[in-house]
Amino acid sequence: MAYLNSLEEANQIIPSVLDEIKTEIAPLLNKGKVANYIPELGKVDPMKFGMAVRLLDGTTYQIGDSQTNFSVQSISKVFSLTKAFGVLKDDLWKRVGKEPSGNPFNSLIQLENENGKPRNPFINAGAIVVADVICSHYDEPLNTILDFIRELANNKQLKMNIGVLQSEKKFGNRNAALAHFMKSYDNIESDVNEVLDCYFGHCSMEMNCVDLATAFLFLSNHGVHPISGKKYLSASQAKRLNALLLTCGTYDSAGEFAFKVGMPGKSGVGGGIVAIIPGLLSVSVWSPGLDKHGNSLAGTKALELFTTKTAVSIF
Ligand code: GLN
């Protein structure tokens, strides 16, 4: 086995590792369950699989359906959090916690026990508070986040999937319940419908694996996007956001994900996962079939194989 120790070795190692992964995950593609609690998401072909790796020097490696757009869903919570963290700095943590929830991403129970303060920014309640922060600070909150995502991904063409957006709104009663509940604890400042429009809007954004890997590169480079040179977070903030990704980024199986994969990462119910290795790379994967926690089944395995075969991980 040839391990990856530096950027220079990537050309020899990563292309063959991606080939091996695609072959090895193939039997898993029909084992997961495509999310259909947002009915529009259920229309996606479960056999899709794509993966993209971007190095800090801009080199891209990709395989399979890496250029097919899909619904990023909860992965977009990382982008809204980055914006809100930049705005409120550490005051953000008065409104939302930093601990793993140990509960499903859309659970209501913990929120009552903890007086309307969500455990972390990656469960739905936490991301709704983050959307509220954006609503309080920008005249056009949704467009602000969408443009921010386009900038990070270096792709002006990115758009929301309107069918998914309508489906999210129509079947978003649980998210509406979370938002109203937090409003009753004064942890939502703006009008609840305005906040939900912002939240559903960024979740319904469509991106491909290359876009996502590009958009996460600043988190592998101390908050500075290595391609544009633009600084989005301080080095300390980027470190903290990565810590949250490791402990909370894959819902109530973040411990299992850290154990198996060994990278900070964020998943979404559209079947995407993006992860990073500080100082080295970002890697994204897409396979729509999910495990019982809402993480891509084959995608998680693909990332586990990636860190096993290359021996790069944060540990
Ligand atoms: N938009 C989805 C929801 O609110 C996001 C969930 C997810 O990807 N885990 O339910």
Side-chain angles (χ1 to χ4, degrees), residues 37-38 72-75 77 105-106 124 168 175 199-200 203 251 266-270 294:
Y37 76 101
I38 300 169
V72 298
Q73 292 296 320
S74 277
I75 298 171
K77 294 170 180 172
F105 59 81
N106 53 6
N124 288 7
E168 290 224 38
N175 288 320
Y199 171 74
F200 290 140
C203 285
Y251 315 119
K266 185 75 203 83
S267 60
V269 290

Side-chain angles (χ1 to χ4, degrees), residues 94-103 108-120 123 181-182 185 187:
K94 294 178 185 155
R95 307 264 314 268
V96 57
K98 331 176 198 70
E99 293 293 341
S101 74
N103 277 305
L108 277 149
I109 295 172
Q110 204 165 46
L111 203 53
E112 172 151 37
N113 290 334
E114 299 182 2
N115 302 322
K117 180 176 176 179
R119 270 285 171 102
N120 69 65
I123 52 173
F181 194 62
M182 292 190 289
Y185 283 98
N187 200 12

Side-chain angles (χ1 to χ4, degrees), residues 7-15 18 51-55 57-63 66 210 213 284:
L7 286 180
E8 288 68 42
E9 293 167 353
N11 270 329
Q12 274 89 56
I13 295 173
I14 294 183
L18 292 185
M51 196 162 177
V53 178
R54 290 217 74 173
L55 307 183
D57 66 4
T59 313
T60 309
Y61 303 94
Q62 48 186 309
I63 197 156
S66 55
V210 177
S284 64

